[in-house]
């Protein structure tokens, strides 16, 4: 029984740190601070391609698929380290979409897409949410009609972060009857250059870009269907499970940011107690995340554990930002654009962004339902 | 990396759980809570015979076994002086020769509400203690009370014999839970000739005490959550099981998240104490989270049980009172939080994850 890293894991992390320390990544970090956490800017995309060419993408993918053949614990350490340094990483593409293609894709799909994903050349946006399908993804209405050797897609997706630069969209479409719920959904990997796709920007209250995407008679070759027709639900859920386990180093960074509040206020018992609360919150987030990540890495994820990590992490980050702003008072009412704003306005940004964390990747209400029903064994409501 | 107990610890936990469930079924717990809280000497002798005090002799490694056992004590809601005795045994001094299985306890001025009033006068060439009274868990039952006094000149330990009760130094108290707790009046002590200065190790001892107390609270939180789940799975209102209402499910989910958080922070602190000199902030974090988890579990349990959980013929009030009283005995949580906050650093690159 142990909690510490073993020697191999420590050596791996030391090598990774050496690699990252040797690069000047200030422009990537600066760019990232203005983006949604799952978004990647032009500097970031160059960085991701460099990671790919240096062999750092797909660390835990099997060697026969071109991956690094390393353990998933090491993969998780890699993701944590990047998040800690505020460096971008194509989380969904590498952690969920690639492995799903490897698992249920055709040989042709694996040959075509996986090498490009590992080089950082394919970046996918997730096309799930719609105006009428948020928490209830089984209500998706974007349709893919089968015509000859192709599908014709019509519909409207929202909150499609990264769609304005993504090479592909991992698109959930209805291929069954309109009343078929989750049994009539399929997944297509659609090139964003396909005619008929229109991307329109949406900006969040934290001034971060996401998108809505319109599909008007978009003809998608049948070879883009991933898995069997009408059996896309489990592939969709795989991507969501990975989204729920966010790197816990983010909340560690939050606390380090908040520690500057203590410095700003001087020796002050109230500030110390406030920071103590933040550390407790962060420690819980860290340990719930470590547990879920380890279970997932070892293929023994207990139902509800990813949800616990997600609920606490997102609630905690909101509490931490709100409490720290409160401690600073009126001076904290200036945002990121103000040169005199305390902590460069980063607290305001974290706070304004925090509702998103609580409703994204399955709302915290849905997560609590999952914990109650799948982990605690309580009956479903009728 | 792993976040689970090994098979030895799991076996120890299972046997302790079976033993305590057998000895302390809920009707007995309830009955014990109504009578003046007392000392079950048969239960204590059995615990001693099973070697529950033995892990202390194994040095730092024994901390894990103690955490496992105290977690089960909390789970069972068992009134017994295991935590009190172990705290005394682990003091960083050589204790006087004592009978095997003797009940011990520590009265610590710094955690009492009267901490400001207690002081030591060394000026007269001797040592006089003023102030108090000081709370003493299991003070009336203890063979020896270790009175820990700390001031600017250092820490001193005074061994007070249980017979001091005859001099009026120890007065039975009326705690609101089922853990007998007394008052110690230092100013009535006749003799303090056996004063032992403590030169070091007190910080670690305090960390150990926090973690051991946290173990009891985490066990409490887990058992109360189980009782609640059993209730909402069976109880029907509006022709539906209570547990099928989303509002009920979400409260149960929150209690479960808190209980898991408390368990994980407890393991983290325990393993740090086992493997390292200092537990760092992890002991304080474990104490804060355990106290909150136990409180959350009992408050949610009380709400979801409704009237039946509020009646003292039922076992829930036993746990309800134990959770709050045990939390209070940790000292004010704001002091723990300030300690945690004082140590936290904003140094860029500080490497405090994910070991």
């Amino acid at each position: 029984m142990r909690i510490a890293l073993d020697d191999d894991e420590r050596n791996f992390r030391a090598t990774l740190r050496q690699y990252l320390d040797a690069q000047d990544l200030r422009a990537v970090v600066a760019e990232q601070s203005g983006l949604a956490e799952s978004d990647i800017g032009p500097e970031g995309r160059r960085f991701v391609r460099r990671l790919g060419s240096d062999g750092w993408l797909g660390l835990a993918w099997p060697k026969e698929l071109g991956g690094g053949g390393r353990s998933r614990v090491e993969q998780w350490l890699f993701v944590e380290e990047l998040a800690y340094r505020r460096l971008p990483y194509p989380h969904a593409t590498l952690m969920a979409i690639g492995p799903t293609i490897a698992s249920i894709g055709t040989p042709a799909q694996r040959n075509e897409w996986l090498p490009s994903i590992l080089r950082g050349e394919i970046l996918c946006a997730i096309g799930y949410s719609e105006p009428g399908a948020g928490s209830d993804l089984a209500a998706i209405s974007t349709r893919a009609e089968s015509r000859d050797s192709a599908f014709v897609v019509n519909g409207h997706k929202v909150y499609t972060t990264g769609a304005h630069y993504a090479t592909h969209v991992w698109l959930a479409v209805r291929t069954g009857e309109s009343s078929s719920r989750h049994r009539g959904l399929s997944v297509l990997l659609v090139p964003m250059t396909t005619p008929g796709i229109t991307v329109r920007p949406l900006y969040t209250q934290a001034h971060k870009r996401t998108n809505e995407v319109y599909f008007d008679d978009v003809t998608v070759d049948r070879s883009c269907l991933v898995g069997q027709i009408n059996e896309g639900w489990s592939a969709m859920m795989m991507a969501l499970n990975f989204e729920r386990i966010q790197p816990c180093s983010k909340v560690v960074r939050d606390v380090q940011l908040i520690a500057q509040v203590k410095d700003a206020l001087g020796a002050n018992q109230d500030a110390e107690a406030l920071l103590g609360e933040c550390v407790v919150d962060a420690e819980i987030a860290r340990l719930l995340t470590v547990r879920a990540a380890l279970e997932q890495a070892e293929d023994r994820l207990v139902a509800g554990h990813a949800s616990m990590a997600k609920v606490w992490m997102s609630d905690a980050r909101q509490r931490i930002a709100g409490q720290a702003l409160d401690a600073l008072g009126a001076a904290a009412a200036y945002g990121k654009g103000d040169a005199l704003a305390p902590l460069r306005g980063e607290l305001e940004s974290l706070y304004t962004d925090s509702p998103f964390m609580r409703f994204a990747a399955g709302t915290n209400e849905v997560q609590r339902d999952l914990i109650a029903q799948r982990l605690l064994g309580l009956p479903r409501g009728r | 990396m792993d976040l689970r107990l090994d098979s030895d610890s799991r076996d120890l936990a299972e046997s302790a759980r079976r033993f305590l469930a057998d000895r302390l079924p809920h009707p007995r717990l309830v009955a014990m809570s109504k009578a003046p809280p007392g000392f079950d000497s048969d239960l204590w002798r059995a615990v001693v015979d099973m070697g529950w005090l033995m892990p202390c002799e194994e040095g730092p490694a024994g901390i894990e076994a103690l955490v496992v056992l105290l977690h089960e004590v909390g789970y069972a809601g068992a009134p017994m002086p295991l935590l009190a005795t172990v705290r005394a045994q682990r003091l960083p001094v050589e204790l006087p020769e004592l009978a095997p299985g003797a009940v011990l306890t520590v009265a610590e001025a710094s955690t009492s509400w009267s901490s400001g009033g207690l002081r030591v006068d060394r000026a007269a060439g001797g040592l006089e203690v003023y102030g108090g009274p000081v709370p003493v868990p299991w003070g009336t039952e203890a063979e020896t009370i270790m009175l820990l006094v700390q001031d600017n000149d250092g820490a001193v330990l005074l061994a007070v014999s249980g017979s001091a009760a005859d001099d009026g130094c120890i007065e039975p108290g009326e705690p609101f839970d089922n853990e007998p707790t007394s008052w110690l009046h230092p100013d009535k002590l006749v003799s303090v000739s056996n004063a032992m200065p403590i030169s070091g190790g007190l910080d670690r001892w305090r960390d150990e005490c926090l973690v051991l107390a946290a173990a009891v609270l985490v066990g409490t939180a887990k058992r109360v959550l189980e009782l609640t789940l059993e209730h909402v799975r069976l109880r029907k209102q509006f022709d539906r099981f209570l547990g099928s209402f989303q509002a009920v499910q979400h409260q149960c989910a929150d209690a479960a998240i808190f209980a898991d958080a408390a368990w994980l922070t407890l393991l983290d602190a325990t393993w740090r104490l086992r493997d390292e000199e200092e537990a760092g902030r992890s002991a304080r974090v474990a104490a804060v989270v355990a106290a909150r988890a136990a409180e959350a579990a009992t408050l949610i349990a009380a709400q979801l049980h409704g009237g039946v959980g509020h009646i003292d013929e039922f076992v829930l009030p036993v746990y309800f009172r134990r959770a709050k009283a045990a939390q209070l005995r940790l000292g004010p949580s704001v002091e723990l939080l300030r300690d945690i906050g004082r140590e936290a650093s904003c140094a860029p690159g500080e490497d405090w994850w994910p070991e």
Side-chain angles (χ1 to χ4, degrees):
Chain A
M1 174 179 53
R2 66 197 173 89
I3 189 169
L5 304 181
D6 67 21
D7 288 344
D8 285 349
E9 291 155 357
R10 278 180 196 281
N11 290 339
F12 165 78
R13 195 168 65 168
T15 308
L16 169 63
R17 286 178 172 174
Q18 219 170 7
Y19 168 76
L20 294 171
D21 287 344
Q23 302 178 53
D24 183 356
L25 299 170
R26 283 173 296 184
V28 184
V29 173
E31 175 187 78
Q32 200 62 29
S33 76
L35 300 174
E37 285 185 345
S38 60
D39 208 355
I40 307 178
E43 290 282 350
R45 298 199 286 277
R46 271 192 286 279
F47 169 69
V48 168
R49 282 195 294 276
R50 202 180 320 147
L51 286 176
S53 59
D54 291 342
W56 288 99
L57 298 183
L59 285 170
W61 288 26
K63 284 198 167 167
E64 55 270 28
L65 292 177
R70 290 185 168 275
S71 76
R72 283 199 275 170
V73 172
E74 287 168 325
Q75 167 73 49
W76 167 65
L77 290 173
F78 175 79
V79 171
E80 287 283 3
E81 186 69 28
L82 258 55
Y84 182 74
R85 293 173 186 243
R86 296 186 176 172
L87 293 169
Y89 180 71
H91 210 75
T93 305
L94 275 150
M95 304 288 277
I97 295 172
T100 305
I101 293 168
S103 161
I104 60 171
T106 62
Q109 288 173 336
R110 288 203 288 269
N111 290 338
E112 183 185 349
W113 290 327
L114 297 186
S116 302
I117 288 177
L118 288 175
R119 287 194 298 270
E121 291 166 1
I122 285 187
L123 294 176
C124 302
I126 302 283
Y128 287 177
S129 294
E130 297 180 358
S135 290
D136 181 14
L137 281 180
I140 280 172
S141 64
T142 293
R143 272 211 81 76
E145 298 286 353
S146 185
R147 279 188 213 158
D148 305 325
S149 64
F151 294 102
V152 177
V153 178
N154 280 284
H156 180 196
K157 295 288 178 180
V158 289
Y159 319 129
T160 322
T161 302
H164 55 298
Y165 59 79
T167 57
H168 294 72
V169 57
W170 180 253
L171 189 66
V173 290
R174 183 155 304 283
T175 42
E177 296 297 314
S178 54
S179 60
S180 55
R181 299 282 295 168
H182 62 275
R183 285 182 300 278
L185 295 172
S186 303
V187 171
L188 305 172
L189 189 64
V190 182
M192 286 298 291
T193 50
T194 313
I197 298 178
T198 308
V199 178
R200 182 183 161 266
L202 294 172
Y203 286 92
T204 71
Q205 63 174 10
H207 312 300
K208 297 189 174 162
R209 177 170 180 171
T210 181
N211 304 285
E212 58 182 335
V213 184
Y214 294 91
F215 296 82
D216 296 307
D217 289 328
V218 177
T219 303
V220 179
D221 194 88
R222 263 196 116 75
S223 64
C224 294
L225 173 70
V226 181
Q228 299 299 309
I229 197 151
N230 292 333
E231 291 180 11
W233 184 254
S234 59
M236 289 168 62
M237 289 302 106
M238 217 173 138
L240 278 182
N241 244 339
F242 274 96
E243 249 191 296
R244 280 174 196 153
I245 306 176
Q246 288 287 315
C248 57
S249 56
K250 288 180 183 175
V251 75
V252 173
R253 280 300 299 250
D254 293 346
V255 170
Q256 288 176 351
L257 177 68
I258 308 307
Q260 296 175 42
V261 173
K262 186 179 69 165
D263 291 353
L265 295 175
N268 174 320
Q269 287 200 332
D270 290 342
E272 284 169 359
L274 163 91
L275 187 56
E277 289 280 8
C278 295
V279 171
V280 168
D281 248 344
E283 279 294 88
I284 294 173
R286 185 174 75 87
L287 288 165
L288 288 171
T289 302
V290 169
R291 178 177 67 173
L294 282 178
E295 288 178 355
Q296 192 171 56
E298 294 167 5
D299 273 332
R300 54 178 178 87
L301 183 59
V302 174
H305 282 183
S307 298
M308 283 188 171
K310 195 266 173 179
V311 167
W312 196 281
M313 174 85 84
S314 53
D315 283 356
R317 294 189 80 193
Q318 185 164 78
R319 269 194 301 272
I320 286 170
Q323 288 173 341
L325 282 171
D326 190 42
L328 287 164
Y334 297 86
K336 255 195 158 172
D338 191 296
L340 298 177
L343 311 187
R344 305 165 299 283
E346 288 194 46
L347 279 177
E348 174 268 329
S349 183
L350 178 61
Y351 180 73
T352 315
D353 220 8
S354 65
F356 168 80
M357 302 166 198
R358 297 181 68 236
F359 61 67
T363 66
N364 284 6
E365 286 74 17
V366 169
Q367 303 311 310
R368 286 183 169 91
D369 288 350
L370 293 176
I371 294 164
Q373 291 162 20
R374 299 196 187 160
L375 180 66
L376 305 180
L378 297 181
R380 290 173 68 95
R382 61 182 178 209
Chain B
M1 299 178 72
D2 204 336
L3 281 170
R4 293 171 293 182
L5 289 176
D6 64 18
S7 60
D8 285 350
S9 291
R10 283 202 303 274
D11 290 347
L12 181 64
E14 279 169 24
S15 67
R17 184 165 299 188
R18 275 196 305 271
F19 168 77
L20 289 171
D22 183 47
R23 291 296 185 110
L24 294 170
H26 284 172
R28 174 149 169 74
L29 266 188
V30 172
M32 286 173 80
S33 72
K34 285 182 181 169
F39 177 44
D40 185 336
S41 56
D42 289 342
L43 178 64
W44 181 247
R45 201 171 307 117
V47 162
V48 172
D49 289 346
M50 285 191 298
W52 285 17
L53 294 175
M54 292 297 285
C56 310
E57 294 171 10
E58 297 166 15
I63 192 80
E64 185 177 310
L66 286 171
V67 162
V68 166
L69 291 170
L70 285 164
H71 176 266
E72 294 308 317
V73 168
Y75 183 93
M80 68 165 68
L82 184 63
L83 175 62
T85 302
V86 165
R87 288 177 82 232
Q89 283 180 327
R90 295 185 82 86
L91 278 163
V93 292
E94 195 154 331
L95 292 177
E97 194 74 24
L98 294 161
V103 174
L104 307 174
T105 189
V106 181
E108 197 185 355
S110 59
T111 61
S112 84
W113 58 268
S114 58
S115 59
L118 204 74
R119 64 188 189 279
V120 185
D121 183 0
R122 297 172 174 83
L127 196 138
E128 300 269 349
V129 183
Y130 301 96
V134 183
V136 199
W138 298 89
T140 314
E141 294 73 17
E143 196 163 298
T144 304
I145 298 169
M146 308 307 296
L147 174 60
L148 177 61
V149 186
Q150 189 158 22
D151 63 9
N152 292 336
D153 294 323
V156 175
L157 201 62
L158 308 169
V160 180
S161 163
S163 62
D166 301 337
D167 305 326
C169 299
I170 302 164
E171 179 190 352
E174 289 189 24
F176 65 72
D177 65 344
N178 63 355
E179 293 276 321
T181 306
S182 312
W183 294 106
L184 176 70
H185 296 279
D187 50 348
K188 292 184 182 170
L189 286 174
V190 177
S191 165
V192 290
S193 58
N194 52 357
M196 292 169 269
I198 298 179
S199 52
L202 211 49
D203 286 345
R204 183 186 163 91
W205 177 77
R206 287 190 201 288
D207 284 349
E208 288 187 355
C209 289
L210 286 173
V211 170
L212 295 170
V216 179
L217 281 158
V218 177
T220 305
K222 284 194 189 173
R223 182 63 184 130
V224 171
L225 173 62
E226 283 181 9
L227 290 170
T228 306
L229 293 173
E230 286 166 17
H231 176 74
V232 302
R233 280 187 199 120
L234 294 175
R235 168 101 170 142
K236 273 188 168 180
Q237 292 286 276
F238 307 103
D239 291 328
R240 286 173 60 181
F241 290 111
L242 279 188
S244 70
F245 289 94
Q246 193 180 45
V248 171
Q249 292 193 349
H250 285 194
Q251 291 189 64
C252 292
D254 283 337
I257 296 173
F258 237 134
D260 275 19
W263 174 243
L264 292 172
T265 54
L266 175 66
L267 287 183
D268 186 34
T270 303
W271 294 338
R272 280 178 200 271
L273 280 173
R274 184 194 61 187
D275 299 334
E276 296 166 27
E277 282 294 308
E278 300 287 333
R281 71 175 178 281
S282 66
R284 287 181 280 278
V285 170
V288 169
V289 179
R292 290 185 177 174
E295 181 164 28
T298 50
L299 290 174
I300 287 170
Q303 178 65 19
L304 298 186
H305 278 80
V308 69
H310 207 57
I311 302 299
D312 72 355
E313 292 168 17
F314 186 53
V315 78
L316 200 56
V318 176
Y319 284 99
F320 189 94
R321 290 191 292 262
R322 275 178 67 87
K324 192 64 186 173
Q327 175 198 355
L328 298 174
R329 291 184 188 116
L330 290 170
S333 62
V334 71
E335 288 182 8
L336 294 170
L337 290 168
R338 280 182 197 138
D339 285 346
I340 297 166
R342 205 171 298 126
E343 289 168 11
S345 163
C346 56
E350 192 205 2
D351 196 13
W352 61 269
W353 73 276
E355 301 296 341

